[in-house]
Amino acid sequence: MRKLIFGMNVTLDGYIAAPGDDLGWSEGEGPDSSSSAELFQWWSDRVDATGLALYGRKLWDGMSSHWPTADKRPGATPAEIEYARRWRDMPKVVFSSTIDTVDWNARLFTGDAVTEITRLKAEDGGPMDICGATLAAAPMRAGLIDEYAIVTYPVLVGGGTPFFTALDSWVNLNLVETRTFSGGVVLTRYETRR
């Protein structure tokens, strides 16, 4: 059975994007920033360890518009080259009813996300990462997420796209890791208590 992990960069007040889908609060995370190279490498290593990535359309649009060719761009750093290769090689499922095709080692799924994620979890294989708060909401409510990897930035944005969705009941968690990166960014990993 596969493990389902939901992890993203998050503001201290719990948002993955500020109003207007603004991600400026996480600027400086790139591999060329000496203050965040360690965090970028952590994310790259996660991609390398992922057996299957599950994307919602919005995050897919952003990732697929940059990473497939990022290693070919002038001035690409070794870390960007490595991440681009890892991202292209990682198997992906894109959940969307508004696009017709996907590429880059991905397949498109247009049906019920919870049903498909439940089916995928029952298969053998490496861990699955769910990418995007909108996609993660229904599986979170259905109790399918086994681990939360929260990379918290020391910034308050006051609104936007929340990491967590409204839940019907409590979810008890066990802390399995904490780690501090430069700039006061903190990783906390929690496993769902079953």
Side-chain angles (χ1 to χ4, degrees):
M1 179 172 229
R2 291 181 185 262
K3 182 177 190 178
L4 182 61
I5 303 166
F6 177 38
M8 296 190 79
N9 293 336
V10 182
T11 64
L12 186 59
D13 52 350
Y15 296 97
I16 63 160
D21 291 329
D22 184 354
L23 299 174
W25 53 269
S26 64
E27 304 248 331
E29 180 203 341
D32 52 349
S33 166
S34 61
S35 65
S36 57
E38 184 184 15
L39 178 57
F40 186 84
Q41 187 63 53
W42 183 85
W43 280 115
S44 183
D45 291 344
R46 285 203 40 89
V47 167
D48 194 44
T50 298
L52 180 64
L54 312 177
Y55 278 92
R57 187 216 33 94
K58 193 181 221 178
L59 190 54
W60 172 255
D61 286 348
M63 296 295 282
S64 66
S65 68
H66 179 77
W67 287 111
T69 58
D71 56 334
K72 308 292 186 226
R73 294 191 168 100
T77 66
E80 288 174 312
I81 292 168
E82 177 182 58
Y83 187 94
R85 178 193 52 79
R86 287 173 166 180
W87 188 87
R88 279 193 308 266
D89 291 348
M90 176 180 59
K92 298 171 271 301
V93 177
V94 180
F95 292 80
S96 177
S97 59
T98 61
I99 57 177
D100 298 321
T101 60
V102 294
D103 206 344
W104 313 111
N105 203 21
R107 73 174 173 86
L108 182 64
F109 185 81
T110 59
D112 179 67
V114 170
T115 301
E116 180 65 359
I117 292 168
T118 300
R119 185 188 73 75
L120 291 169
K121 275 191 71 164
E123 295 178 347
D124 290 331
M128 295 189 307
D129 276 359
I130 192 162
C131 307
T134 302
L135 176 60
M140 189 184 300
R141 281 190 303 276
L144 295 176
I145 297 177
D146 300 300
E147 181 182 311
Y148 295 87
I150 306 164
V151 177
T152 306
Y153 280 69
V155 61
L156 304 172
V157 296
T161 305
F163 178 83
F164 292 103
T165 189
L167 297 172
D168 300 325
S169 60
W170 292 9
V171 176
N172 293 308
L173 306 169
N174 291 321
L175 179 65
V176 294
E177 180 184 7
T178 60
R179 182 172 171 184
T180 302
F181 295 94
S182 62
V185 176
V186 177
L187 162 70
T188 50
R189 286 181 43 237
Y190 297 91
E191 287 183 344
T192 302
R193 212 180 292 161
R194 304 260 186 228

